[in-house]
């Protein structure tokens, strides 16, 4: 005859233990409670689960994101305040060279309780919500980073960009880098009498045509 082990527990007892869900960008609010004024802090470093940012500059997937936050219970939900810091990688919109930088955010966001007046009187995209006693910070950080990063990032404020004639980076071009440019009034004649003609030749050809008329 087989007897159950002395330390074994019924299956419903084993399954009733709540797993730890407070990890990554997910914050567990169950221990905070709903008494207004209750608070605790969260400080952690989280690898970005996906690329976060814009086309030309972003927090790359796997980059450490530093969170230093305070969670405070209020009547309508949980108020999250604090800072978010991460390194960014981008491509300069002027010279097209890669560069690195950082992004620093300050968050102040209310997450509404499921049965609160705020939750019941707002649209889905107007306020963030607590789901299953959890706060998911990822969409908040994605939205905040998208607003903070520049649409046209620069490797430096004084970046000179590229030469419009040959495309060389002006930062590494020789001093006095320039190109002889043709008077646009003679560009059509230059194309007609041969690409690459000098402005003076185009001018001479134009004069010859006028003389023959």
């Amino acid at each position: 005859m087989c007897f159950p082990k002395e330390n074994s527990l019924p299956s419903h007892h084993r399954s009733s233990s709540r797993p730890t869900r407070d990890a990554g960008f997910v914050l567990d609010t169950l221990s905070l409670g709903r008494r207004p004024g209750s608070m605790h802090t969260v400080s952690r470093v989280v690898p970005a689960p996906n690329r976060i940012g814009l086309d030309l500059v972003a927090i790359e997937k796997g980059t450490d994101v530093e969170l230093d936050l305070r969670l405070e219970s209020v009547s309508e939900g949980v108020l999250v305040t604090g800072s978010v810091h991460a390194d960014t990688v981008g491509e300069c919109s002027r010279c097209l060279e890669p560069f690195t930088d950082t992004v620093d955010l300050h968050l102040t966001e209310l997450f509404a309780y499921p049965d609160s007046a705020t939750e019941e009187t707002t649209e889905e995209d107007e306020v963030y919500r607590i789901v299953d006693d959890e706060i998911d910070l990822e969409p908040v950080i994605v939205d905040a980073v998208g607003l903070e990063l520049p649409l046209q990032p620069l490797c430096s404020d004084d970046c000179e960009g590229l030469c419009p004639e040959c495309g060389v980076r002006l930062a590494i071009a020789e001093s006095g880098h320039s190109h002889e440019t043709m008077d646009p009034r003679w560009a059509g004649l230059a194309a007609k009498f041969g690409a690459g003609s000098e402005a003076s030749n185009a001018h001479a050809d134009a004069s010859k045509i006028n003389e023959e008329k």
Side-chain angles (χ1 to χ4, degrees), residues 29 32-41 69-81 109-111 113 130 135:
T29 67
L32 184 64
R34 289 201 177 190
R35 183 171 63 86
S38 299
M39 66 177 66
H40 69 248
T41 59
L69 307 170
R70 184 180 75 171
L71 279 63
E72 181 179 359
S73 179
V74 296
S75 59
E76 291 297 299
V78 173
L79 183 65
V80 178
T81 58
E109 202 67 56
L110 174 67
F111 287 79
Y113 290 130
I130 296 172
I135 286 173

Side-chain angles (χ1 to χ4, degrees), residues 73-93:
S73 179
V74 296
S75 59
E76 291 297 299
V78 173
L79 183 65
V80 178
T81 58
S83 61
V84 178
H85 172 87
D87 293 332
T88 59
V89 176
E91 179 182 285
C92 181
S93 60

